[in-house]
Amino acid sequence: MNLTLVIYSLTCGGAEKIMSIMANYWAAKGWKITLLTFDDGTVPPFFNLDSRVSHIPLGIAGNSPNPIIAIWNNFQRIRTLRSAIVNSKPDAAVSFMETANVITLLATRGSNIPVVVSEHSDPASNPIGSIWEQMRQWTYPFADRIVVLTKGAMNYFSNQLQASACIIPNPVLLPQIESNSSKKLLNERTVMAVGRFGREKGFDLLLRAFAKLKDRYPEWTLTILGEGALRPELESLRNQLGLSECVHFPGQVKNPYEFLKQAELFVMPSRYEGFSNALCEAMASGLPVISTDCPWGPREIIRHDLDGILIPNEDVSALAAAMARLMSDEGERKRLATRAPEVTERFSLEKIMERWEVLIEEVIREKQK
C-alpha cells in the first residue's frame, strides 16, 4: 500500500501525535508512507518518526496580512500540495485537521486519488472562522470519507455529509516507560494534568478548584504539563490564588508516562475536547481520573464511577468535590485505577488501525469502479 498523509505540521499536539503513530505503524508493515506538512522543516517533528516514513515539509505555511494575499497564498499552497501528492503516486491520501483538509480536497480535485479527511476536535465548540467554515461545508462533499472521533462531531455535519462519515476514535498505546529511568519527577502526592495552555483545556478551572483544597490537603501538589499562549495568564492566576509553592508547570514533554507513573491522580478540566489522548494515556498508566463531562469525548472514554469520574462541565465546585473525594481516599483511588488500564484494550492500536485499513481499502475499491 502507498499512502500519502497530510497535516499542517508535526508540532506537539494530539492530532500530530496520532498521525505520527499511524505513519510509523504503517511504515513498520512495509507500506510506503509519504507524510506532507505545510511547515518549512526548520523545526524537527516533536514526535519521533520511523526512518522509513518519507517526511516532506512543503514550506507553504505562514500568515497572510490581507484577504487578497491570503487568496494568492492559498492558491500557491493548493498548487504546491497537488504537485507533491500527485508525485507521491498514492493509492489514497489521508488528511488531518480542518484547514489542511480543505486545501487537500481542493488540491486533489480531478486527480482520481481517493481522499479521506479526519476531524480531530469538536467542530461545534472549535470555531475556525466564517470563511474556513464555508470552505469546509463546500469542500467536504468532495471527500471519499470523513472520519470523526465521536458521535458529537458526527452530529455537527449535515445529513449529506454524515452519509460519507464514520467514527474512528484515537488509538491508545501501552505506557512507554524507560527501564533505566528512576529520576524523581513529582512529589509523593501529585495531581497531574496535561494539555495545551489554551482556554479550551480549562486549566484556570483546575487552578481555582485546587485553591479550594490546598489548606485541607497541604501534602498534595499539582503539576500541569504543556505549553501555550495562556502560560502567562495561568502563572499569574496561580500566584493570585496563593499556589506558587504547590503548582508546577514543567513545560512540554515527549513521554508523559514518565510523569504519569509517579502521579496519584489525573484531572482533565476541559471545556471541550475531541478524543483526549492525555486522558487515555493517564488511564493506560493506571491512574484514577476525573474529567469534566464536556461535549463529546470524555463520556466515550470514561465509564463513570467504574474507571473514572465525570463531573459537570465548567463547575469548579463539583471539580473540587471530586478531587477531594479521591485525594482523601486511597482505597477509592485504587478501585478506579484497577479498571482504568482497560482503555488500552477498548481502543488498542491494532483494533483502531484495522478500522482505518478497512476504510482505506473501501475507498480505493469504490474509486476503481
Side-chain angles (χ1 to χ4, degrees):
M1 185 74 75
N2 180 357
L3 291 183
T4 296
L5 312 181
V6 183
I7 193 168
Y8 194 85
S9 70
L10 288 174
T11 54
C12 181
E16 293 85 352
K17 182 171 189 173
I18 296 303
M19 178 157 277
S20 301
I21 289 169
M22 291 171 62
N24 292 343
Y25 181 89
W26 282 326
K29 288 186 67 170
W31 291 17
K32 181 184 176 186
I33 303 298
T34 302
L35 204 168
L36 306 175
T37 55
F38 289 14
D39 62 321
D40 60 8
T42 54
V43 178
F46 185 81
F47 302 104
N48 295 330
L49 283 179
D50 190 297
S51 60
R52 292 163 289 191
V53 174
S54 175
H55 173 214
I56 304 175
L58 299 176
I60 55 174
N63 297 320
S64 305
N66 61 63
I68 301 299
I69 294 178
I71 292 170
W72 173 252
N73 285 346
N74 281 317
F75 175 76
Q76 293 292 95
R77 286 172 183 156
I78 291 166
R79 188 169 70 173
T80 300
L81 181 59
R82 180 181 180 86
S83 176
I85 293 174
V86 170
N87 288 340
S88 67
K89 297 181 173 60
D91 296 307
V94 178
S95 173
F96 271 23
M97 302 175 72
E98 304 86 358
T99 54
N101 292 345
V102 168
I103 294 173
T104 299
L105 289 168
L106 292 172
T108 51
R109 288 294 289 156
S111 68
N112 206 41
I113 296 170
V115 179
V116 178
V117 300
S118 179
E119 290 271 338
H120 276 260
S121 66
D122 173 11
S125 303
N126 184 38
I128 58 175
S130 59
I131 294 176
W132 280 110
E133 179 58 39
Q134 290 173 10
M135 292 294 289
R136 173 162 61 183
Q137 298 300 326
W138 178 55
T139 58
Y140 271 30
F142 302 156
D144 293 276
R145 288 290 190 284
I146 302 165
V147 175
V148 296
L149 300 176
T150 64
K151 294 177 183 177
M154 172 84 83
N155 293 337
Y156 174 81
F157 294 105
S158 66
N159 290 336
Q160 176 197 2
L161 291 180
Q162 287 188 39
S164 62
C166 64
I167 299 170
I168 304 181
N170 287 338
V172 180
L173 275 63
L174 291 169
Q176 301 165 340
I177 306 296
E178 298 292 336
S179 58
N180 60 353
S181 176
S182 58
K183 181 180 179 183
K184 189 169 177 58
L185 301 170
L186 301 174
N187 292 339
E188 289 297 327
R189 293 284 182 265
T190 296
V191 178
M192 277 283 301
V194 180
R196 183 188 311 108
F197 288 0
R199 183 182 180 278
E200 72 276 12
K201 296 302 181 182
F203 292 139
D204 56 316
L205 307 174
L206 177 55
L207 289 175
R208 296 185 188 282
F210 194 75
K212 292 176 176 288
L213 305 173
K214 68 181 179 73
D215 293 334
R216 288 165 57 193
Y217 304 99
E219 73 278 16
W220 284 79
T221 60
L222 169 64
T223 294
I224 306 177
L225 299 180
E227 280 296 345
L230 293 189
R231 174 181 272 271
E233 292 182 31
L234 292 172
E235 289 177 337
S236 176
L237 179 60
R238 173 188 63 182
N239 297 338
Q240 290 173 22
L241 294 171
L243 302 174
S244 57
E245 297 299 317
C246 55
V247 174
H248 311 291
F249 301 132
Q252 292 174 341
V253 299
K254 284 191 177 182
N255 186 4
Y257 293 118
E258 296 295 333
F259 283 80
L260 292 170
K261 72 174 183 178
Q262 297 184 23
E264 287 284 330
L265 172 63
F266 182 89
V267 177
M268 192 179 79
S270 299
R271 290 181 166 91
Y272 63 88
E273 277 290 337
F275 189 91
S276 174
N277 296 327
L279 178 60
C280 291
E281 288 168 350
M283 295 174 71
S285 299
L287 277 177
V289 298
I290 298 169
S291 173
T292 50
D293 192 11
C294 61
W296 315 109
R299 181 169 286 276
E300 291 164 272
I301 299 169
I302 291 176
R303 298 169 295 184
H304 178 63
D305 217 28
L306 178 66
D307 54 16
I309 295 174
L310 294 167
I311 55 107
N313 198 16
E314 297 194 68
D315 189 330
V316 171
S317 296
L319 179 56
M323 291 169 65
R325 169 185 164 187
L326 295 189
M327 290 163 70
S328 63
D329 190 338
E330 183 177 0
E332 185 70 350
R333 295 199 302 273
K334 288 182 176 179
R335 181 183 71 83
L336 295 173
T338 298
R339 301 296 298 272
E342 293 172 10
V343 74
T344 61
E345 301 169 15
R346 293 188 287 134
F347 305 109
S348 73
L349 180 61
E350 291 73 20
K351 286 181 181 178
I352 300 303
M353 295 306 290
E354 181 181 4
R355 291 168 66 175
W356 269 101
E357 290 171 13
V358 169
L359 174 66
I360 290 167
E361 289 168 1
E362 283 179 358
V363 300
I364 292 173
R365 283 198 306 269
E366 290 171 6
K367 209 75 168 182
Q368 291 171 345
K369 289 181 180 179

